[in-house]
mmCIF file of all heavy atoms in Angstrom:
data_model
loop_
_atom_site.group_PDB
_atom_site.id
_atom_site.type_symbol
_atom_site.label_atom_id
_atom_site.label_comp_id
_atom_site.label_asym_id
_atom_site.label_seq_id
_atom_site.Cartn_x
_atom_site.Cartn_y
_atom_site.Cartn_z
ATOM 1 N N LEU A 18 7.682 -4.776 -3.555
ATOM 2 C CA LEU A 18 8.865 -5.456 -3.020
ATOM 3 C C LEU A 18 8.493 -6.306 -1.806
ATOM 4 O O LEU A 18 8.834 -7.489 -1.744
ATOM 5 C CB LEU A 18 9.940 -4.443 -2.637
ATOM 6 C CG LEU A 18 11.191 -5.017 -1.985
ATOM 7 C CD1 LEU A 18 11.941 -5.908 -2.963
ATOM 8 C CD2 LEU A 18 12.086 -3.895 -1.481
ATOM 9 N N ILE A 22 8.388 -10.498 -1.506
ATOM 10 C CA ILE A 22 9.167 -11.168 -0.459
ATOM 11 C C ILE A 22 8.261 -12.042 0.392
ATOM 12 O O ILE A 22 8.567 -13.206 0.658
ATOM 13 C CB ILE A 22 9.929 -10.138 0.396
ATOM 14 C CG1 ILE A 22 11.059 -9.509 -0.420
ATOM 15 C CG2 ILE A 22 10.473 -10.777 1.677
ATOM 16 C CD1 ILE A 22 11.717 -8.305 0.235
ATOM 17 N N THR A 61 1.611 2.180 2.994
ATOM 18 C CA THR A 61 0.758 3.300 3.390
ATOM 19 C C THR A 61 1.368 4.056 4.563
ATOM 20 O O THR A 61 1.405 5.285 4.563
ATOM 21 C CB THR A 61 -0.650 2.790 3.762
ATOM 22 O OG1 THR A 61 -1.203 2.144 2.617
ATOM 23 C CG2 THR A 61 -1.556 3.918 4.191
ATOM 24 N N ASP A 68 0.633 12.041 1.757
ATOM 25 C CA ASP A 68 -0.807 12.116 1.547
ATOM 26 C C ASP A 68 -1.378 13.320 2.290
ATOM 27 O O ASP A 68 -2.255 14.013 1.777
ATOM 28 C CB ASP A 68 -1.492 10.823 2.000
ATOM 29 C CG ASP A 68 -2.919 10.738 1.502
ATOM 30 O OD1 ASP A 68 -3.135 10.867 0.275
ATOM 31 O OD2 ASP A 68 -3.832 10.561 2.338
ATOM 32 N N VAL A 72 -3.317 16.475 0.496
ATOM 33 C CA VAL A 72 -4.631 16.980 0.919
ATOM 34 C C VAL A 72 -4.545 18.463 1.264
ATOM 35 O O VAL A 72 -5.408 19.253 0.853
ATOM 36 C CB VAL A 72 -5.169 16.159 2.110
ATOM 37 C CG1 VAL A 72 -6.385 16.827 2.728
ATOM 38 C CG2 VAL A 72 -5.499 14.744 1.668
ATOM 39 N N VAL A 93 5.057 19.891 10.896
ATOM 40 C CA VAL A 93 5.880 19.456 12.029
ATOM 41 C C VAL A 93 6.022 20.586 13.051
ATOM 42 O O VAL A 93 6.000 20.341 14.260
ATOM 43 C CB VAL A 93 7.259 18.940 11.551
ATOM 44 C CG1 VAL A 93 8.197 18.682 12.714
ATOM 45 C CG2 VAL A 93 7.082 17.670 10.725
ATOM 46 N N ALA A 106 -4.979 6.011 10.705
ATOM 47 C CA ALA A 106 -5.689 4.756 11.016
ATOM 48 C C ALA A 106 -6.722 4.373 9.953
ATOM 49 O O ALA A 106 -6.681 3.254 9.432
ATOM 50 C CB ALA A 106 -6.317 4.825 12.404
ATOM 51 N N LEU A 114 -7.042 -3.342 3.202
ATOM 52 C CA LEU A 114 -8.132 -4.208 2.740
ATOM 53 C C LEU A 114 -8.356 -4.103 1.236
ATOM 54 O O LEU A 114 -8.615 -5.116 0.575
ATOM 55 C CB LEU A 114 -9.417 -3.893 3.505
ATOM 56 C CG LEU A 114 -9.353 -4.196 4.998
ATOM 57 C CD1 LEU A 114 -10.647 -3.770 5.681
ATOM 58 C CD2 LEU A 114 -9.067 -5.667 5.254
#
Side-chain angles (χ1 to χ4, degrees):
L18 176 65
I22 290 169
T61 300
D68 193 54
V72 169
V93 171
L114 295 177

